[in-house]
Amino acid sequence: TIRSVDPNHEIIVESIRWASASGFSSLEPTGDAKTVYSFHFYEPHVFTHQSVYESVEPISYPGEIQGKVWNRKTMEEAMRPVVEFQEKTGCQIYVGEFSAIRWAPGESGLNYLRDVLSIFETHGWSWAYHAFREWPGWGLDYEGPKDRTEGPFETTPRLELLKSFWQFGAAF
């Protein structure tokens, strides 16, 4: 139906289950060469959203989170349905959202972002960070604990990390 009025623009289709990577296990390609397939990545959710909704003890990454060790390898496994879909279909993949809460302890947020970005880049996926200047909890230009937010700053380690991945031809 869309192609009957617009043959030129890409169409983005998200997986089911809140646009999760696991939703790709049942996703069927549209057959349209200009369809881009998208998912959001916030796994493990208890880490990426810690103390957003209710206060929890600080959770570090990499490390054991809810009885499971989470690191780059574990996240690769969580994204495996997307990789298999891409290998089977040759379709373009777009990560429409990903992030880690700003106040994750120590360099946990930075480590998490570095790992997910390197996975995305390894597979040639396009991506968009959630969300720039929407709320200081996700903000790349804010720092500090939840109750003592500081910023916006001209730059932060998290912002510099994303900038490094925006560099043309960067290899990670």
Side-chain angles (χ1 to χ4, degrees), residues 16-78:
I16 60 171
R17 297 185 204 117
W18 295 95
S20 71
S22 65
F24 272 72
S25 59
S26 60
L27 188 62
E28 293 291 329
T30 65
D32 179 81
K34 290 187 178 178
T35 300
V36 177
Y37 298 86
S38 181
F39 72 104
H40 300 176
F41 194 78
Y42 292 103
E43 293 185 42
H45 194 270
V46 70
F47 168 76
T48 61
H49 285 67
Q50 61 187 290
S51 294
V52 170
Y53 304 111
E54 70 265 344
S55 291
V56 299
E57 290 297 316
I59 301 167
S60 295
Y61 172 89
E64 186 173 317
I65 301 171
Q66 293 185 319
K68 181 178 180 178
V69 174
W70 280 90
N71 53 32
R72 188 182 192 283
K73 181 180 178 195
T74 313
M75 288 196 294
E76 279 267 20
E77 291 168 8

Side-chain angles (χ1 to χ4, degrees), residues 98 117 121 127-129 132 140 158-170 172:
F98 71 97
L117 286 164
E121 293 292 319
W127 50 268
Y129 178 80
F132 188 67
L140 292 168
R158 291 164 49 112
L159 180 55
E160 289 303 313
L161 175 69
L162 264 71
K163 284 180 180 180
S164 74
F165 278 87
W166 292 331
Q167 299 299 312
F168 180 77
F172 296 94

Side-chain angles (χ1 to χ4, degrees), residues 81-98:
V82 182
V83 173
E84 289 172 353
F85 181 87
Q86 182 183 33
E87 289 172 348
K88 182 174 124 184
T89 65
C91 294
Q92 283 185 279
I93 303 296
Y94 169 61
V95 185
E97 288 185 22
F98 71 97

